[in-house]
Amino acid sequence: MAVGTSARRGAAMLATALRIVGMVIVAVLVLHIVLTLLDANPANGLTEFVSDVAGRLTLGLDDLFLPDEPKLRVTLNYGVAAAVWWLITAVAVRLVRRIA
């Protein structure tokens, strides 16, 4: 097995790991939006956990838009954060694959 082949395999594995991590982050943000829109019990353990994790992943965008309606606020801010994470993931995966 050549060194180049090993490097390509390693890069492919790294790209796959980056894609999985990025999509999990996007999924958490979208799940928070869905739970908010469906009026999930905010005192429920799962809802608290998702809200806490999503709040840490917003990249500071959780107050980008400030409409009066709380559901719209969550949808816009966390939706933008999810889109940014998706874009970051796509770019990072493409760069890793291109380098290899």
Side-chain angles (χ1 to χ4, degrees):
M1 180 164 37
V3 173
T5 304
S6 296
R8 279 191 295 276
R9 281 190 187 160
M13 287 174 39
L14 177 59
T16 299
L18 288 172
R19 174 168 278 132
I20 290 169
V21 169
M23 292 303 105
V24 166
I25 291 170
V26 170
V28 168
L29 292 166
V30 170
L31 181 58
H32 178 60
I33 293 169
V34 169
L35 290 173
T36 300
L37 292 176
L38 295 177
D39 292 320
N41 178 5
N44 179 277
L46 175 64
T47 307
E48 286 180 347
F49 175 75
V50 170
S51 177
D52 182 51
V53 173
R56 295 171 191 258
L57 300 173
T58 62
L59 301 171
L61 299 172
D62 54 334
D63 61 354
L64 181 62
F65 299 104
L66 300 172
D68 292 332
E69 172 61 38
K71 289 182 181 181
L72 180 59
R73 182 179 297 184
V74 168
T75 302
L76 290 174
N77 293 323
Y78 286 76
V80 168
V84 169
W85 273 110
W86 179 82
L87 182 64
I88 290 169
T89 301
V91 169
V93 168
R94 183 168 287 198
L95 286 174
V96 168
R97 290 186 192 262
R98 184 170 293 203
I99 289 170

